[in-house]
Amino acid sequence: MGRDVSERTFSREDRQRYREKVQRCLDALARMLAENHFSFPRQQMGLEIELNLVDQALNPAMLNAVVLEKISDPLFTTELGQYNLEINVPPRPLAGDEALELENELRAVLDSADSKAHDAGARMVMVGMLPTLRAEHFDRRFLSSNPRYGVLNKQILNERGEDMLLDMEGVPMPGRPGERLRSYADSILPESSCTSVQLHLQVDPDDFAAHWNAAQCLAGVQVALAANSPFLLGKALWQETRIPMFEQATDTRPQELKNQGVRPRVWFGERWITSIFDLFEENARYFPALLPETEDEDPLAAIEAGRAPQLGELRLHNGTIWRWNRPVYDIVDGVPHLRVENRVLPAGPTVVDVLANAAFFYGAQRALCEQERPIWSQMSFQAAEENFYTGARHAMQAQLYWPGIGWIPPDELVLRRLLPMAHEGLRACGVSDEARERYLGIIEQRCVTRRTGASWQRETVAQLEERGLDRDAAITGMLQRYIELMHAGEPVHTWAPGG
């Protein structure tokens, strides 16, 4: 969704023309796959981190335009809400000490950006959901100024025909009854509460299906290990509330269409694939256009002329379907390539935690892809989907299904089976021993301590409430301590709960 779109009303003719162009893009993609038009010189990783801005009272600071001007760095850009920023890390090789170098660079860049944000009266927070958000922060006037956000907001609400319903049952705090969120919003701004880390991996077209299928198998484990979004609008909800919130905040379906089984635009999927083409074809077949803006390029004519087609309509459409593992077609210096974009992880708590999560994903994914008998041939797609939602709801307390083991807690599954595989996969990727041991060692200790960002937040709020603070004060006190520990930079498994 990074492409700018015009602020206008789309006609019936626009939609028909757009559908025809998407189909022509699909024909061009099929030809490119058949004729092997893609570049894959080496395995590269990429990273995007979404961030929150808070004021001195730790409430959302609607200042991203001012902060971006002060940061003045092309790596940073806007996100949906005026209290959101995003940093896009340029792609780099996965091998060697690249991850260690990236850790140092990220620390320096984020510290510098945070210092400049202070000049605007704001601080940056890397967390899956900002716990001090309130319903009034979802007013549409707080959309970022880029016209594409306003157009997207209008189109989604027009498709839905009614306000967004945010409805979820929470996981009870220890010794307390479960909490329930039921709220309405007249904009898509609740989506802005979902701040994530997106991992990109460039892959050979012939290997794309294996990498995507492996990523789907790992999604439940990833979200259980990295949960960092337990509070929203003052309620203790899922360990990774970002997952149901993102689905509900962009849902174009009224209840009647849900009852009919119409597919949601935030989507886990419904089947294993044999080619990246399967995913783009599903996008075109199942989802009407939200932003039917066409370009002049004829993609098949571009191929005939020896140029890589932009596939503009196909890419724009893909950007309005939020798969948790998304296919990406992109062009760099005139050469096309394919990527898996993993969208499962929350931001934070620290830079080193983010890189540990990335190392685990890349290593385990590589190992699963190279197994003689693929794991996805041994489990149903529905089991992988159930793992995903169970992991998001319960994190370390979840029971996940894994072939050959059965039902097992995520920490035990990682320690017994997936962590050795991740070491093996990172070795195969050429990652240095120092980097591999540093980041996977953090994952190991997180499993041993069973402490995630979400569990730390919940324990800290519970302790502060036991001292007599009400929920709002406890959440603010917790966030203050969270920010201090985030800047100290030690991984979350070392954090002692308490404000």
Side-chain angles (χ1 to χ4, degrees), residues 8-18 292 294:
R8 66 183 180 87
T9 300
F10 298 105
S11 67
R12 287 174 291 180
E13 291 77 12
D14 288 330
R15 293 183 178 279
Q16 183 174 344
R17 185 165 53 249
Y18 188 83
T294 55

Side-chain angles (χ1 to χ4, degrees), residues 290-309:
L290 282 181
L291 303 171
E293 191 163 273
T294 55
E295 299 182 359
D296 293 334
E297 178 194 67
D298 180 340
L300 291 170
I303 293 174
E304 291 291 342
R307 299 192 311 274

Side-chain angles (χ1 to χ4, degrees), residues 26-38 205-206 275 277:
L26 277 174
D27 294 341
L29 177 62
R31 178 171 170 181
M32 295 174 74
L33 289 167
E35 297 176 357
N36 195 22
H37 284 246
F38 293 93
D206 290 340
S275 166
F277 187 84

Side-chain angles (χ1 to χ4, degrees), residues 13-300:
E13 291 77 12
D14 288 330
R15 293 183 178 279
Q16 183 174 344
R17 185 165 53 249
Y18 188 83
R19 182 181 290 114
E20 292 168 354
K21 281 297 296 288
V22 168
Q23 186 58 54
R24 196 155 178 85
C25 288
L26 277 174
D27 294 341
L29 177 62
R31 178 171 170 181
M32 295 174 74
L33 289 167
E35 297 176 357
N36 195 22
H37 284 246
F38 293 93
S39 164
F40 185 63
R42 57 183 174 175
Q43 200 158 49
Q44 294 199 105
M45 63 173 176
L47 187 69
E48 301 170 60
I49 305 175
E50 296 167 350
L51 304 159
N52 296 279
L53 296 171
V54 296
D55 59 22
Q56 294 306 307
L58 303 187
N59 294 316
M62 306 300 178
L63 294 169
N64 64 359
V66 177
V67 171
L68 279 175
E69 185 176 348
K70 289 187 176 295
I71 292 174
S72 188
D73 185 333
L75 294 180
F76 288 85
T77 186
T78 58
E79 254 298 329
L80 182 63
Q82 291 179 19
Y83 64 97
N84 299 141
L85 293 177
E86 181 176 271
I87 179 171
N88 295 285
V89 178
R92 61 176 66 207
L94 187 55
D97 285 332
E98 290 285 345
L100 296 170
E101 294 171 12
L102 176 58
E103 180 185 343
N104 292 329
E105 290 172 21
L106 266 178
R107 285 179 186 271
V109 168
L110 291 173
D111 284 348
S112 173
D114 186 60
S115 176
K116 293 171 182 176
H118 288 185
D119 295 340
R123 287 190 276 178
M124 287 170 41
V125 185
M126 188 164 55
V127 65
M129 301 189 91
L130 187 63
T132 52
L133 282 165
R134 297 186 298 276
E136 58 262 35
H137 298 130
F138 296 152
D139 189 286
R140 70 183 68 192
R141 73 181 187 273
F142 295 131
L143 284 167
S144 287
S145 60
N146 191 311
R148 75 173 181 263
Y149 299 125
V151 175
L152 187 65
N153 180 68
K154 177 183 175 183
Q155 293 296 106
I156 288 178
L157 288 170
N158 284 348
E159 287 282 323
R160 183 176 173 84
E162 60 192 52
D163 285 352
M164 297 294 178
L165 172 61
L166 312 177
D167 186 8
M168 62 199 74
E169 294 277 355
V171 176
M173 300 275 276
R176 304 184 191 182
E179 300 175 28
R180 172 87 179 267
L181 173 67
R182 187 174 174 86
S183 179
Y184 287 90
D186 63 358
S187 77
I188 63 169
L189 261 170
E191 182 196 333
S192 67
S193 67
C194 307
T195 40
S196 66
V197 167
Q198 290 131 41
L199 304 177
H200 291 255
L201 184 68
Q202 185 177 340
V203 297
D204 186 285
D206 290 340
D207 296 332
F208 184 93
H211 280 280
W212 188 85
N213 290 341
Q216 294 286 95
C217 292
L218 287 169
V221 183
Q222 280 183 277
V223 76
L225 285 182
N228 196 29
S229 312
F231 293 102
L232 183 67
L233 304 187
K235 304 287 188 181
L237 299 171
W238 291 24
Q239 299 274 359
E240 189 50 42
T241 306
R242 186 179 55 90
I243 300 301
M245 177 53 64
F246 194 79
E247 294 186 349
Q248 295 180 15
T250 53
D251 200 341
T252 57
R253 308 166 302 163
Q255 187 61 49
E256 294 78 7
L257 291 185
K258 293 182 191 177
N259 295 341
Q260 293 176 38
V262 172
R263 295 164 177 85
R265 296 190 85 100
V266 178
W267 198 30
F268 188 79
E270 62 190 19
R271 62 182 176 127
W272 306 120
I273 65 168
T274 59
S275 166
I276 189 174
F277 187 84
D278 296 345
L279 301 178
F280 283 114
E281 195 272 336
E282 283 181 346
N283 288 355
R285 180 152 42 105
Y286 295 143
F287 300 101
L290 282 181
L291 303 171
E293 191 163 273
T294 55
E295 299 182 359
D296 293 334
E297 178 194 67
D298 180 340
L300 291 170

